[in-house]
Structure formats: C-alpha cells, structure tokens
Amino acid sequence: VWFVAVPVLATVFIGGLAGLIGAAFSFITWIGIGALFAANMIPYNIQLVDNMVQPENINTFISTGATLLVTTLIFVGSISSILNHLDTTIIQSRELTDELEEKSTQLELQTQKLKKRSDILEFTAYVNRSLASILEPDQILLQAARHIREKFNLEHVYIFLLDETRSKLQLN
C-alpha cells in the first residue's frame, strides 16, 4: 500500500514529476527488498510465509514490482492529468470572472449615462408641457427659469437673449 500511496500523494501535493519519481523509487525499493530476500540478507520466518510465495525467488518480486509500477504510473498519470485540467479550468474561470467584472463595470457606467440622459429628457418634457400653454414670451422665460432653479437647487437663474441685431446679449 505504501509503495502506491507515496507516489500518489506526491502527485497530489507536489506534482506529476514528483509522482513519477516516487513511482520509480517505489519500484526500485520493491526490487531491492526482493533481492535482499533472495540473497538471504533479510531473515524471514519460514512458518509465517509457508502459504505465500517463497521470498528467495526474485522473479516473484520482479513481476509484482512491475504490476506495482504500472498501477502506480496509471494512478499518477490520471491524478496528474486531472490536476492539470483543474489548473487550466481555474485559470479560465479567473479570466472569465475578470472579464465579467470589467463588462459589469462598463455596463454600470453606461447605465449611469443613460439615467442622466433619461433625467434630462424627462425634465425637458416636463418644462415643455408646462410652458406649452403660456403665450407670452416673458412668462415663458420666467417659468423656464423657475423650473431650472427648482430642478438644480439654484438660488438664481439668469436667462440671456440676443438682441435684434444678434450682436449683444440682454439679461431678461
């Protein structure tokens, strides 16, 4: 279990290359243990392994080591691929989030501009409606000044008109 767990954990926490190195290390360690058993350098109790494969046969360790290596490489490759795909997905998600925030900011600015334009049009329509029934020019100017003063909270409003020669402004 440890020979598979070490490379898998290395892949998850460190990366795919660490997992591959861990798999190679596990395989070499497993073969090394088999060689030590085969050379009788590691003592074992024959009664404990009576029903198991005899440790002095190195071929058993090589075949199980190869199975261990292939299984571990499949685990490491799969996990590494999943983690790489997850990284790519996270990066794409962050890019999309940034783009969405930028578009949201632009939309908010456009909404504010449209609101200002709408307010101006609404005010203009209001002034036009209120001035439409007045026939005297002086009353129209007085009412227009009053509406502008109220709308923009001004103390004074002055309206200047061009004289008949269109060369001077006159205060009304």
Side-chain angles (χ1 to χ4, degrees), residues 13 20 31 47 80 83 89 115 119 121 125 132 147 149 155 160 172:
F13 292 111
L20 292 175
I31 298 300
Q47 286 89 17
S80 182
L83 291 176
T89 303
K115 172 87 171 98
D119 289 347
L121 287 173
H147 287 307
R149 188 184 74 224
E155 287 186 34
F160 291 89
N172 284 353

Side-chain angles (χ1 to χ4, degrees), residues 160-171:
F160 291 89
L161 299 175
L162 285 173
D163 66 0
E164 285 126 20
T165 62
R166 296 184 179 249
S167 60
K168 293 183 183 179
L169 290 176
Q170 292 179 342
L171 175 65

Side-chain angles (χ1 to χ4, degrees), residues 63-91:
S63 64
T64 56
T67 303
L68 170 75
L69 180 64
V70 169
T71 304
T72 304
L73 290 177
I74 290 171
F75 281 148
V76 167
S78 298
I79 291 171
S80 182
S81 175
I82 290 169
L83 291 176
N84 285 337
H85 182 69
L86 184 62
D87 271 352
T88 303
T89 303
I90 289 171
I91 289 169

